[in-house]
Amino acid sequence: MAATLPSQAIDDESGRKRFAVYVSLLCGFSDEALKHMARTACLTLEWFPVPIQCLQLARAYVPPVGEREATLRLCHDFAQNSFERWMDNVSDGQPIGDVPEQWLRIAVERGPLRRLANGSFVSRPLYHGPGKPLMTLVSA
């Protein structure tokens, strides 16, 4: 970075002190984060970055996602999308189907399903429930 970006002319002692400041601030970052910082600084800045710019660039580094993490993310997204689609369908009165017990409990809590006294579940749009007696208003 020093060879690519111009900086102020300083003597050897000042250069060592400046280097010590940069090292103390950046020592906790991975090599990949520091490479990202240097590459981004060379591509975007006209002058050698001040310490706060180096910290911002190093913090902006996002490590690549491994194969396992990517696969787990895909599985999670699939399950979440399936659940949301099922909730929409049940809310519209479509059959409940064979789904995990947890989905049923969530649907009862959110409202699209009702749990009957016998433990079974029914879609609220399809459930009319027992008839309620008519209330008469008594006027005084």
Side-chain angles (χ1 to χ4, degrees):
M1 206 165 48
T4 307
L5 295 173
S7 62
Q8 297 174 351
I10 54 174
D11 60 29
D12 287 342
E13 181 62 27
S14 296
R16 282 192 287 276
K17 288 178 183 177
R18 182 177 290 181
F19 180 74
V21 169
Y22 280 85
V23 168
S24 67
L25 290 174
L26 299 172
C27 66
F29 290 98
S30 67
D31 288 345
E32 291 77 20
L34 295 175
K35 288 176 190 175
H36 168 78
M37 178 203 68
R39 185 172 38 264
T40 305
C42 289
L43 291 172
T44 60
L45 301 176
E46 294 179 20
W47 292 92
F48 196 85
V50 295
I52 190 70
Q53 289 173 311
C54 288
L55 289 172
Q56 290 169 341
L57 294 173
R59 286 183 185 134
Y61 173 73
V62 178
V65 178
E67 187 175 324
R68 176 179 165 78
E69 290 81 14
T71 303
L72 289 173
R73 170 54 56 196
L74 287 173
C75 291
H76 176 270
D77 291 346
F78 175 78
Q80 186 65 33
N81 291 337
S82 298
F83 171 72
E84 290 170 7
R85 189 171 50 253
W86 175 79
M87 284 287 287
D88 291 341
N89 291 341
V90 168
S91 297
D92 291 339
Q94 294 183 16
I96 296 170
D98 185 23
V99 296
E101 177 74 22
Q102 181 181 13
W103 288 18
L104 297 170
R105 289 192 313 264
I106 293 170
V108 168
E109 290 295 318
R110 289 188 183 174
L113 289 185
R114 179 180 175 106
R115 187 175 205 144
L116 302 178
N118 65 4
S120 63
F121 296 89
V122 65
S123 176
R124 282 195 186 263
L126 301 178
Y127 178 74
H128 300 290
K132 295 182 180 178
L134 293 175
M135 294 180 57
T136 57
L137 295 175
V138 179
S139 51

